[in-house]
Amino acid sequence: MSRLRLGMAGGGEGAFIGAVHRMAAALDGDWDLVAGAFSTDGGRNTRTGERLGLDQQRVYPSLDALIAHERTLPLDERIEALAIVTPNHLHAPMAIAALDAGVHVFCEKPMAMSVVEAEAIAAAAKASGRQFALAFTYSGYPLIEEARARVARGDFGAIRLVQVEYLQGWLSQPIDTDGNKQAEWRTDPARAGLGGCLGDIGTHAFQLAEHVSGLSVESVSADLTTHVEGRRLDDDVSALLRFQGGARGVLKASQVAAGEENGLRLRIHGERGGLDWSQTEPNTLTLRWLDRPAEIVRTGGPGMLDATATLVRTPAGHPEGYIEAFANLYRAFVSAIRSDGNDRWFPGVTDGLHTMRFIEAVIANAASDQKWTSVNPGDSE
C-alpha cells in the first residue's frame, strides 16, 4: 500500500514529544512526513523543516497557512492526517480546523482545555467522517492489550479493585520558573488548562485504568495539592474512584515524587485473581491467582493470546518499549484510515471525553466539601 502523507503542528527544535511522534509514525513505514508548522519562531521552524528534509514551501508559519496552502495542492499530494503536538490550549482549535478541512487528526492528550472544547472536537470528527486519535501511549503496549483481553474474557471474575499510579519527580524543584520550557507551559493555566499534574499524567493513569478494566468511573473523591511554592497548578493528585458495577479504585499521580522517573503501575483484582503491570518493566505481566501459583507473561513469549501477539515486533528477550507502543497506535490509526479490515483499537473521542470529564470532576470535588462528585460519562460520544 502507498504511504500516507502526514503533517505536524508543533514539535519544533527542542521539543520532546514531536520527535517521539515522528519516530513512532516512521517505525512501520506507513507514513511520510511531508509538511509542518513546527514553531511560531521562524528560525526554529525553518531549521526543523531543514533537518527533516522537507520542501521549504511546505514548512508553514502557522496551521492556518498550512491548511490554506495544502488545499491548493492536488489530492494525491496534500496531507491526509495531522499530528498535533502542541501545548494543550491549541488542541481544540487546531483539531477542529483540520477535521473541518477533511484531514484526519492524531492529537496529544489531554484532548482539550475543557469538556466543552472536547465535545466540539467530537462533533467536528463526527461531521467530517475523519478519524481522531489521542496519544494515550501506554495503551499501545502489547502486555496492556494482553491484560485488557484477559479481563474482558473473565479470567479474574468480576472486577473488584483497580489501583493505578503514575509517579514522576522532575517537578520537585521550581524549574518552571528557571527557564525550563517543558515545565513552564505545563504549569501555566493559560496553556495547560485547569489541571497540572492532573491533566499531564493523571489522565494517562485514568485512561489506562478504564481501558484495561473495561469499566467506566462513575464518581470521584479527590485531593489536589501544589507542593512547590508559587506554582499555579497542582503537582500532586490523589483520588478514590467508584466504577460501574461496584468496583472500587485508587488513583495516585505526582510530579514531585523526588527520584521517580515514569513510574506508571496498574493493578487490577477480581474475585479469582489479579494482574500487575509496570511501565518501567513493560515486557512483564504478572498474574496472581487465588488457587494456584502466580504466572509471568513476557512480551513475545509463550502464553500470549494470538490477537495480542500481533502487536509484538521482535522475538522474546529483545525489549520493546515506549516507541514501539506509540507505533502500535499509529499503526491502528492507519488501519482505520485505510479501512483495511484489521479493526485495531486506538484511543480516540470516547477516551478523550471521559478523561476531560474526569479532570473537571476531580477539580470540582477537590474544591468543595462534597464527598463524591459524579464523572457523568454522558451519552454524547
Side-chain angles (χ1 to χ4, degrees):
M1 291 186 180
S2 61
R3 295 156 69 98
L4 276 69
R5 297 175 298 280
L6 181 67
M8 181 168 283
E13 181 183 71
F16 160 69
I17 202 64
V20 171
H21 275 259
R22 292 190 288 268
M23 286 186 281
L27 198 58
D28 290 313
D30 288 318
W31 295 96
D32 281 324
L33 181 67
V34 297
F38 303 104
S39 175
T40 55
D41 181 294
R44 184 177 292 117
N45 191 40
T46 298
R47 290 191 299 271
T48 301
E50 289 173 347
R51 275 201 295 272
L52 294 173
L54 299 186
D55 178 351
Q56 282 298 311
Q57 296 300 311
R58 298 181 76 176
V59 178
Y60 303 99
S62 68
L63 181 67
D64 287 344
L66 183 153
I67 290 175
H69 186 262
E70 291 291 311
R71 276 177 157 168
T72 69
L73 299 176
L75 280 173
D76 62 354
E77 293 182 18
R78 66 183 66 169
I79 65 167
E80 296 165 273
L82 179 74
I84 299 174
V85 294
T86 64
N88 305 342
H89 69 295
L90 296 174
H91 291 180
M94 286 186 167
I96 292 169
L99 292 165
D100 287 349
V103 175
H104 304 282
V105 171
F106 198 124
C107 186
E108 262 304 317
K109 38 56 54 193
M111 188 175 184
M113 296 281 277
S114 67
V115 170
V116 170
E117 282 193 352
E119 289 176 337
I121 294 173
K126 184 176 181 179
S128 70
R130 294 301 187 261
Q131 298 293 331
F132 178 83
L134 275 168
F136 284 113
T137 314
Y138 307 106
S139 56
Y141 277 107
L143 287 184
I144 283 296
E145 176 57 23
E146 181 81 15
R148 187 209 61 77
R150 287 173 178 264
V151 171
R153 74 178 187 180
D155 287 14
F156 310 107
I159 299 304
R160 292 172 171 169
L161 307 174
V162 180
Q163 298 177 79
V164 62
E165 66 178 27
Y166 196 159
L167 303 182
Q168 296 178 339
W170 72 294
L171 289 179
S172 290
Q173 299 297 319
I175 61 172
D176 40 325
T177 61
D178 294 337
N180 184 304
K181 292 187 180 298
Q182 296 298 319
E184 181 186 346
W185 78 256
R186 283 177 169 83
T187 57
D188 176 8
R191 288 177 286 173
L194 298 176
C197 173
L198 173 62
D200 195 27
I201 63 174
T203 52
H204 274 303
F206 174 79
Q207 187 271 339
L208 205 65
E210 285 203 330
H211 176 59
V212 178
S213 72
L215 304 173
S216 294
V217 173
E218 293 183 333
S219 56
V220 298
S221 181
D223 180 60
L224 287 179
T225 306
T226 304
H227 287 280
V228 174
E229 186 176 356
R231 184 165 287 161
R232 291 174 288 174
L233 290 173
D234 61 275
D235 51 29
D236 187 74
V237 184
S238 301
L240 299 177
L241 312 174
R242 284 181 171 173
F243 289 83
Q244 66 181 117
R248 295 295 188 262
V250 178
L251 182 149
K252 178 65 186 177
S254 183
Q255 292 178 312
V256 294
E260 295 287 345
E261 297 174 335
N262 278 281
L264 175 59
R265 184 182 183 188
L266 176 67
R267 287 172 286 177
I268 296 178
H269 293 88
E271 57 192 338
R272 295 194 296 270
L275 62 87
D276 189 347
W277 179 86
S278 174
Q279 204 269 150
T280 55
E281 188 61 49
N283 296 295
T284 298
L285 175 66
T286 302
L287 310 177
R288 296 188 174 90
W289 307 104
L290 193 62
D291 58 355
R292 61 186 188 272
E295 299 175 47
I296 301 294
V297 180
R298 292 279 294 165
T299 299
M304 287 188 73
L305 302 175
D306 290 343
T308 306
T310 63
L311 299 174
V312 181
R313 291 176 168 78
T314 58
H318 294 276
E320 294 194 16
Y322 182 70
I323 302 299
E324 290 87 351
F326 217 138
N328 281 335
L329 300 188
Y330 264 99
R331 186 163 62 182
F333 185 49
V334 162
S335 292
I337 292 171
R338 288 174 171 161
S339 301
D340 60 13
N342 284 326
D343 295 325
R344 299 177 185 272
W345 174 89
F346 58 88
V349 167
T350 297
D351 300 84
L353 286 168
H354 281 198
T355 52
M356 291 311 305
R357 290 175 179 136
F358 168 71
I359 289 173
E360 293 196 359
V362 166
I363 291 171
N365 184 269
S368 74
D369 294 327
Q370 188 174 339
K371 186 173 182 180
W372 291 96
T373 298
S374 174
V375 174
N376 185 25
D379 57 6
S380 63
E381 62 266 33

